[in-house]
Amino acid sequence: LQPPGGPGASLLAAPAGLLIVDVLRADALASGLGAIVADARTRGLLADGATVLPSSAVLRGCLVESRAIGSLGSVRGAVCGLDVSEFNRFRPAYRTLRAGHFQLTCLTRTVDLVRWDASDGAAEGEEDEGEDEGQRQRQGEEEEEAAGAGLGGVHMSAEIELVASASGNVDCLLCWSDLGLGEGLTLTGAPEGDERADGSAEQLAVYLEPALYIREGEVIRLSVTHNGRELRLRLVLSDGRQAWSHRGGVEEEGGVAVDLVAVAAAAA
């Protein structure tokens, strides 16, 4: 966006005291929230101490068993005598939905996956001290890619340890955004059943391949990365079994991308 008069001209007569960003979606950070705020500050469009809404954003989620949600976007068996199951390699990496319309069981507690705060414009997360050189290299490449895409280089990685609260198949990670509006006010995208939810918000079901069975009390390690556009997941169980969010026909709107490992394994 260039103002009339060329790159050196100002869009505003004076820096603004209020910035409102429209991010009413399941994954608010995938809309480039951090990059929008950082860009406005870099270009001098915001006055010192300007109010930014939302003032914070938290992507939250839990592992879920739901055969109904897990079957969305997939095909089984034969159609007119033709086995179409191979098309499942191109199933969507995620689905936007209202979880209250489906029967589901939460297999873990709800955790914070990504947290962003307008006071510093950065995503926060627990850094994994045990990550290997390959992981650090991939993170550096993702940061460069994010910067090149105008995402402000926002990058977060976290290692989250969970304990299964119920036994079942992990069909997806169900996630949503909580937006901070200042003065203790929060607009939540939580599904029905949460006391703060009104049932109107949508959630994001991020699929994991393969669908692993977990037992109550089992320790689960969830690796999460987010670069301001893409959410990537890897799940490791205590017995070494692993699952990834897979790369399918990724819808442009949702901002979720995933690893190719599961697809390559399925094709082998």
Side-chain angles (χ1 to χ4, degrees):
L1 175 64
Q2 296 293 346
S10 175
L11 285 168
L12 304 173
L18 173 65
L19 173 63
I20 301 176
V21 185
D22 180 6
V23 290
L24 296 180
R25 58 192 299 179
D27 182 357
L29 291 175
S31 61
L33 173 60
I36 292 170
V37 175
D39 181 65
R41 286 174 171 155
T42 299
R43 299 168 67 179
L45 301 179
L46 296 182
D48 291 341
T51 299
V52 175
L53 294 177
S55 57
S56 63
V58 182
L59 184 63
R60 314 192 73 211
C62 62
L63 297 176
V64 162
E65 178 184 50
S66 174
R67 185 172 182 179
I69 294 177
S71 64
L72 292 176
S74 64
V75 291
R76 298 180 181 180
V79 176
C80 297
L82 177 67
D83 183 4
V84 294
S85 60
E86 283 299 302
F87 284 99
N88 287 327
R89 284 189 277 169
F90 305 102
R91 78 182 290 197
Y94 73 96
R95 288 296 294 263
T96 301
L97 47 78
R98 285 188 171 91
H101 295 174
F102 300 87
Q103 183 175 357
L104 59 85
T105 301
C106 294
L107 302 177
T108 66
R109 62 185 174 89
T110 298
V111 295
D112 293 354
L113 303 171
V114 181
R115 177 181 295 274
W116 173 88
D117 194 286
S119 62
D120 56 21
E124 299 176 356
E126 298 178 5
E127 294 295 334
D128 179 16
E129 296 180 357
E131 65 180 3
D132 58 27
E133 183 61 32
Q135 288 175 306
R136 287 191 290 271
Q137 182 177 352
R138 287 192 296 272
Q139 175 175 326
E141 292 171 352
E142 290 170 358
E143 289 174 343
E144 290 179 4
E145 179 184 356
L151 300 173
V154 175
H155 186 279
M156 171 269 196
S157 62
E159 296 289 340
I160 302 169
E161 187 171 282
L162 298 169
V163 177
S165 55
S167 300
N169 290 310
V170 180
D171 290 311
C172 69
L173 174 84
L174 186 69
C175 57
W176 61 89
S177 294
D178 282 0
L179 303 178
L181 303 179
E183 299 183 356
L185 298 177
T186 300
L187 179 64
T188 183
E192 295 180 28
D194 189 298
E195 60 181 11
R196 304 169 302 158
D198 62 6
S200 64
E202 292 185 325
Q203 295 78 45
L204 203 65
V206 183
Y207 296 120
L208 296 161
E209 295 287 349
L212 301 178
Y213 182 83
I214 60 175
R215 294 178 174 82
E216 182 178 358
E218 189 167 5
V219 177
I220 306 161
R221 188 173 177 86
L222 183 64
S223 300
V224 183
T225 63
H226 203 305
N227 67 358
R229 183 184 62 186
E230 298 176 343
L231 172 68
R232 303 188 181 193
L233 305 170
R234 180 168 65 98
L235 183 152
V236 182
L237 301 184
S238 54
D239 61 6
R241 289 178 295 151
Q242 300 186 38
W244 294 262
S245 49
H246 74 283
R247 181 177 294 279
V250 181
E251 301 176 35
E252 295 180 359
E253 176 94 9
V256 175
V258 291
D259 296 310
L260 286 165
V261 178
V263 174

